[in-house]
Amino acid sequence: MSRIVTPQKQKPFLKSRAFRISLATALAVVLLGGVLEFTGVTHLFHKKYAATHTVTAGQATKGEPAGGAITSGSTSSGTTPGSSGDTNSTEPGDNKGSVSSGSPGAAPETPSGNFVSNHHPNLSGSPAPSLEQSVCSTTTGATCQITFTKDGVTKSLDSTSTDRGGAAYWTWDVKSLGLAAGSWKVTAIATLNGQTATASDTQTLDVQP
């Protein structure tokens, strides 16, 4: 008497042993990768974040002393609240400046920034105010000074060290600085390691009576 063999039903793949093994292996790999990344053994994500997370000059670093956390190098200047008159967007200075040779060490970057917030102030305070705000951006750890020259007379803001974002800030008054009516040439001077870099503003400071 012949024996009838009934075909055996095949288990669905999702319930098969091969699927369970593959799923367990994948979970183990993900878990292991997460542990290695969290403990600092690998830096697949940390490196990408560090490359994009840079600190630049602006309100976030305003006034913070320069420190080792920021490597001296290129910085972008942030804006500061300005007075009425010119717009207060950051405009780089005229890079016709020069870098002078000095003692060994890196020279500062050519200054840039909003050297004066209003190029048409009034000594009388009307219609434009005489109050000014200035920003000089250069290498972190350098010192900045802004000078005003007219007819052989030079006036200057106090030399100020840049903050950790590479910027120096001033709030000052045209009358208090002793600027007479007329057109003044504006120049920013950065000093570091005995070397200087200068840049002139593309506009003159036209002081009105």
Side-chain angles (χ1 to χ4, degrees), residues 56-147:
T56 56
Q59 294 299 322
T61 61
K62 189 172 181 178
E64 294 183 5
I70 304 300
T71 302
S72 296
S74 166
T75 59
S76 62
S77 175
T79 58
T80 58
S83 54
S84 61
D86 293 356
T87 56
N88 199 37
S89 60
T90 300
E91 293 291 338
D94 183 1
N95 292 336
K96 294 179 180 178
S98 60
V99 178
S100 64
S101 60
S103 61
E109 293 185 359
T110 301
S112 64
N114 224 18
F115 297 156
V116 290
S117 57
N118 177 21
H119 287 83
H120 304 282
N122 285 81
L123 293 174
S124 61
S126 178
S130 59
L131 188 67
E132 294 277 1
Q133 292 184 337
S134 298
V135 180
C136 172
S137 293
T138 182
T139 307
T140 300
T143 58
C144 271
Q145 186 178 44
I146 296 181
T147 64

Side-chain angles (χ1 to χ4, degrees), residues 9 23 52 82 121 198:
K9 291 184 179 180
L23 181 61
T52 58
T198 64

